Amino acid sequence: MEEIINEAAKKYADSIPQDDHKKEYCRVDFEAGANWALQNQWHDASKELPEDNKMVIVLTEKGNAVINSVYTFNGYRQWHSNYKVSYWMPIPSLPEN
């Protein structure tokens, strides 16, 4: 994954019409942002829930990954499941052909 990020960062920096030393800053910033995004995809379900009826990937307390969503009933937000959800993340977009 690191090689993919490095290649994308170089391509991004080369696309910016700036001096070479400024392109290096852009490359480093791009890599830092990409690494941060990869490390922060999962949300703690005890602190934050997705919007109602939005399908997300969840990780249960038993370590299973499944698709699930949240709904509100009588003012309480809850998962459409009987298992305890530990973490969730948005479903990534598929690449376009």
Side-chain angles (χ1 to χ4, degrees):
M1 181 59 75
E2 194 66 31
E3 185 176 317
I4 293 170
I5 292 173
N6 290 341
E7 288 175 20
K10 183 178 181 333
K11 183 177 179 181
Y12 170 74
D14 287 345
S15 72
I16 298 172
Q18 294 185 15
D19 298 334
D20 286 340
H21 72 283
K22 289 182 181 176
K23 287 184 181 187
E24 180 64 15
Y25 291 126
C26 291
R27 187 190 61 73
V28 170
D29 291 344
F30 183 101
E31 288 178 10
N35 285 319
W36 181 90
L38 288 172
Q39 294 169 5
N40 291 282
Q41 295 180 69
W42 290 99
H43 301 268
D44 186 335
S46 68
K47 297 178 181 175
E48 176 184 14
L49 294 175
E51 62 187 63
D52 280 7
N53 301 313
K54 180 173 176 122
M55 300 301 282
V56 295
I57 301 170
V58 302
L59 188 63
T60 69
E61 68 179 357
K62 293 185 178 183
N64 297 317
V66 296
I67 304 296
N68 204 339
S69 65
V70 170
Y71 68 99
T72 301
F73 181 74
N74 288 338
Y76 294 100
R77 300 189 75 216
Q78 50 197 359
W79 292 98
H80 282 105
S81 66
N82 292 328
Y83 43 75
K84 183 168 171 46
V85 173
S86 298
Y87 297 94
W88 66 272
M89 69 176 281
I91 298 173
S93 300
L94 293 173
E96 295 181 19
N97 292 339

